[in-house]
Amino acid sequence: FTYLPETFTDEEFLGEAVNPENLTLEHFEELSERSLASAISNTVITDDFFKEALLFSGDETYSRAIGNLFLEPFELDNTDKFFTFHKNALMEILKGNKKRNDRYYLTEGDFYLAREKRPYLIVGATILRLGNDTHNTRKIHCEYTPLYTGIRSFFDRAGRSGKQIGGGYVETFAYDSRNPSEQQRTDGRWKVKVGRRRYRFTLSDMIGSSGAAPREILDKLLLKNIGFPEFHHWPISDIGKIDEEEYAHGDGGHLENLGIMPLLTRKVKNIIVFINGKTPFNADEGQYSGSIRALFEPVDDFEIQDILKGQQKFDVNIVFEEKKLETLLDAFKERQSKGETLIHWDEYEVKQNDNYKIRPYTARICWIYNDKVENWNKKLGQSNDLGVKKIFESQEFSNFSHYRTFLQNPPKIIDLSKRQVSALSHLSCWNVCQYADKIKKYFQL
């Protein structure tokens, strides 16, 4: 959405918003080839993965396969292109990378620019250091943004051979680079010269590593060098004195699955959190997304917790007062009893968290939990298209709206049908639209 070319309209990309009582079978089965829903419903990851493996793409294999599926339909899959946010940032980059006597130099054609008036994108990934002694350094949060990328917090001796990790950001086009040299400090920033790699850090790298959900399990099984993302990283401390190392970069959900930490780090005052997962909500039986609970209290049965045995309780993600968890769950329970969308807004005192460099402040948060909504189902039943009712009674929708990440439609590993994608998109859209005015009022917009 952020980088969507001007040749694609938002209406084409997002599709039409239709209330449940007006949905027909055509809405579920006919998707525009220029829509995100169409790209999602045409994912056969194994084919693209093996194609890239045969091209000897190395640790770029998975990222390029993901790029082929989700970026190519929107003309954003060029792996020779970096990316940045706006024209001013691009001009600054080019000013520091003129041809001069260098063999390599940059031009405007080397970059994707974000579309005007688009939101600032922050994508989460996780550097995996599963062999480390302390559980707070086994997984390290990494941020990708259009302007800068890296690890905000400093982790001493968390890397290979006791090397440091993190401590700040580099401009995104320079991530995954070789050792810096010729450093110069001006206006609180370091200007350095970095070694060029075979590959450039691209949009495919960003979505590929942030979507590398199998990475943690594969590392645990010692299955390495099979095409999953690895990027060179050097710490923003003692620049030039500590050699870069190549580390596994996996899904941000290996550590924090809601994407809330970068917002709290930046003291964002109004936040909407979409809790999209495979776990239905049933608070009476203690069944709900573990990603929520970990924000309020230590956990030991966390769905995205470190898979190593014998570790202490997971407390790295605590940012809110424990008493507020029960209030949130009770609100969801009440909504559920009325057949409503699981939505709740409240004010939170954010606690200090050194792992993410979060400092105390007050935030207003709206939570929306992906779950079945009885009121939506009732309205869907009012549709005059009998085919709509039949597909929701079929095996294809037996676990709607909680699709599996893998093997939802076996034997295909990652694949959703057009109807499954459409149904979830319409429900999610309706959930927000029903409460749009109340959300705006609460956030004082």
Side-chain angles (χ1 to χ4, degrees):
F1 182 74
T2 298
Y3 285 89
L4 189 69
E6 296 280 355
T7 52
F8 291 82
T9 67
D10 288 347
E11 289 73 20
E12 288 175 319
F13 182 72
L14 298 173
E16 183 185 7
V18 183
N19 285 329
E21 62 270 25
N22 297 323
L23 286 170
T24 66
L25 204 56
E26 184 177 327
H27 289 117
F28 292 105
E29 296 183 338
E30 295 186 13
L31 301 178
S32 166
E33 292 183 358
R34 295 166 67 84
S35 68
L36 179 61
S38 177
I40 294 172
S41 67
N42 285 300
T43 55
V44 184
I45 184 64
T46 47
D47 292 355
D48 286 87
F49 185 86
F50 287 122
K51 181 182 75 174
E52 290 298 332
L54 291 173
L55 293 173
F56 300 103
S57 297
D59 59 21
E60 305 283 326
T61 299
Y62 183 79
S63 293
R64 292 192 174 193
I66 293 293
N68 292 339
L69 295 171
F70 295 106
L71 296 177
E72 184 179 12
F74 309 107
E75 303 168 6
L76 295 171
D77 62 315
N78 189 334
T79 53
D80 288 329
K81 283 195 174 188
F82 297 111
F83 58 95
T84 187
F85 196 48
H86 46 59
K87 195 67 175 284
N88 288 343
L90 175 59
M91 291 300 102
E92 283 296 312
I93 292 171
L94 298 184
K95 187 168 66 175
N97 291 273
K98 296 177 181 177
K99 186 172 182 180
R100 295 181 294 181
N101 296 323
D102 256 337
R103 180 182 174 188
Y104 302 107
Y105 62 99
L106 299 177
T107 68
E108 291 189 38
D110 289 314
F111 287 83
Y112 285 116
L113 283 181
R115 193 158 162 173
E116 289 189 6
K117 298 182 179 179
R118 289 304 211 218
Y120 190 70
L121 181 66
I122 305 175
V123 175
T126 306
I127 289 183
L128 296 174
R129 300 288 303 140
L130 299 184
N132 284 356
D133 293 333
T134 58
H135 76 292
N136 65 321
T137 65
R138 290 174 185 164
K139 301 177 183 179
I140 297 173
H141 178 69
C142 180
E143 293 177 354
Y144 307 138
T145 83
L147 294 177
Y148 53 88
T149 288
I151 296 96
R152 179 181 290 247
S153 299
F154 177 74
F155 294 88
D156 193 23
R157 304 184 64 80
R160 291 196 182 94
S161 304
K163 293 179 180 177
Q164 302 155 346
I165 289 180
Y169 304 102
V170 299
E171 287 181 286
T172 296
F173 79 96
Y175 198 63
D176 194 22
S177 59
R178 296 290 189 182
N179 290 342
S181 61
E182 299 183 19
Q183 57 265 43
Q184 175 186 349
R185 187 176 178 88
T186 56
D187 300 326
R189 300 172 65 186
W190 284 97
K191 184 177 288 187
V192 301
K193 183 175 182 178
V194 295
R196 182 180 183 274
R197 283 197 67 230
R198 174 186 172 192
Y199 300 117
R200 299 186 172 199
F201 191 73
T202 66
L203 291 175
S204 292
D205 289 323
M206 180 168 62
I207 69 168
S209 55
S210 73
R215 184 75 208 228
E216 185 179 9
I217 296 296
L218 294 174
D219 275 21
K220 171 64 175 174
L221 298 175
L222 302 180
L223 294 175
K224 301 183 179 182
N225 302 318
I226 58 173
F228 279 83
E230 295 184 2
F231 302 129
H232 287 80
H233 172 85
W234 40 270
I236 314 299
S237 61
D238 295 328
I239 293 178
K241 298 179 182 179
I242 302 174
D243 291 344
E244 100 283 345
E245 288 283 355
E246 195 171 33
Y247 296 117
H249 286 59
D251 192 328
H254 292 325
L255 180 61
E256 196 275 298
N257 209 28
L258 299 177
I260 192 175
M261 297 305 186
L263 305 182
L264 299 178
T265 296
R266 290 162 176 79
K267 292 190 173 182
V268 175
K269 294 182 179 179
N270 295 328
I271 299 173
I272 300 180
V273 179
F274 293 92
I275 306 160
N276 298 332
K278 64 181 181 180
T279 307
F281 182 81
N282 188 334
D284 290 336
E285 296 183 8
Q287 180 178 294
Y288 55 91
S289 172
S291 299
I292 304 174
R293 186 180 167 202
L295 300 176
F296 296 87
E297 62 187 20
V299 295
D300 54 12
D301 55 348
F302 188 26
E303 66 180 1
I304 55 172
Q305 187 192 359
D306 199 317
I307 55 178
L308 295 177
K309 295 181 179 180
Q311 71 165 29
Q312 58 186 298
K313 283 196 173 186
F314 186 89
D315 60 0
V316 169
N317 288 357
I318 295 177
V319 287
F320 302 127
E321 296 175 325
E322 186 174 343
K323 63 182 180 181
K324 298 288 279 189
L325 175 60
E326 186 174 353
T327 303
L328 174 60
L329 298 179
D330 286 344
F332 281 163
K333 285 170 63 176
E334 183 177 357
R335 295 278 188 187
Q336 192 174 57
S337 69
K338 297 177 181 178
E340 299 174 348
T341 300
L342 302 191
I343 185 171
H344 177 64
W345 40 81
D346 202 349
E347 197 166 81
Y348 294 83
E349 295 303 319
V350 180
K351 302 172 70 172
Q352 180 161 324
N353 183 308
D354 293 333
N355 196 70
Y356 297 93
K357 271 204 167 181
I358 294 172
R359 298 295 175 258
Y361 79 106
T362 302
R364 292 185 289 259
I365 301 178
C366 173
W367 311 83
I368 302 179
Y369 195 108
N370 169 44
D371 204 71
K372 292 181 179 179
V373 181
E374 190 59 37
N375 288 349
W376 187 81
N377 289 340
K378 288 179 180 177
K379 290 178 178 293
L380 192 70
Q382 297 170 14
S383 170
N384 293 323
D385 192 328
L386 296 178
V388 172
K389 300 174 185 177
K390 288 183 178 179
I391 64 171
F392 276 87
E393 294 170 355
S394 68
Q395 180 64 29
E396 184 179 5
F397 284 86
S398 60
N399 62 338
F400 179 79
S401 60
H402 301 285
Y403 303 139
R404 300 181 184 91
T405 304
F406 306 107
L407 299 173
Q408 170 65 29
N409 298 313
K412 297 176 181 178
I413 297 175
I414 301 179
D415 183 69
L416 295 177
S417 69
K418 289 182 179 181
R419 299 193 298 196
Q420 288 168 332
V421 173
S422 298
L424 187 54
S425 68
H426 282 295
L427 171 60
S428 300
C429 178
W430 185 83
N431 282 338
V432 176
C433 291
Q434 289 298 295
Y435 294 93
D437 290 339
K438 291 182 179 179
I439 292 172
K440 289 178 182 178
K441 183 178 179 180
Y442 182 72
F443 286 159
Q444 301 173 14
L445 300 177

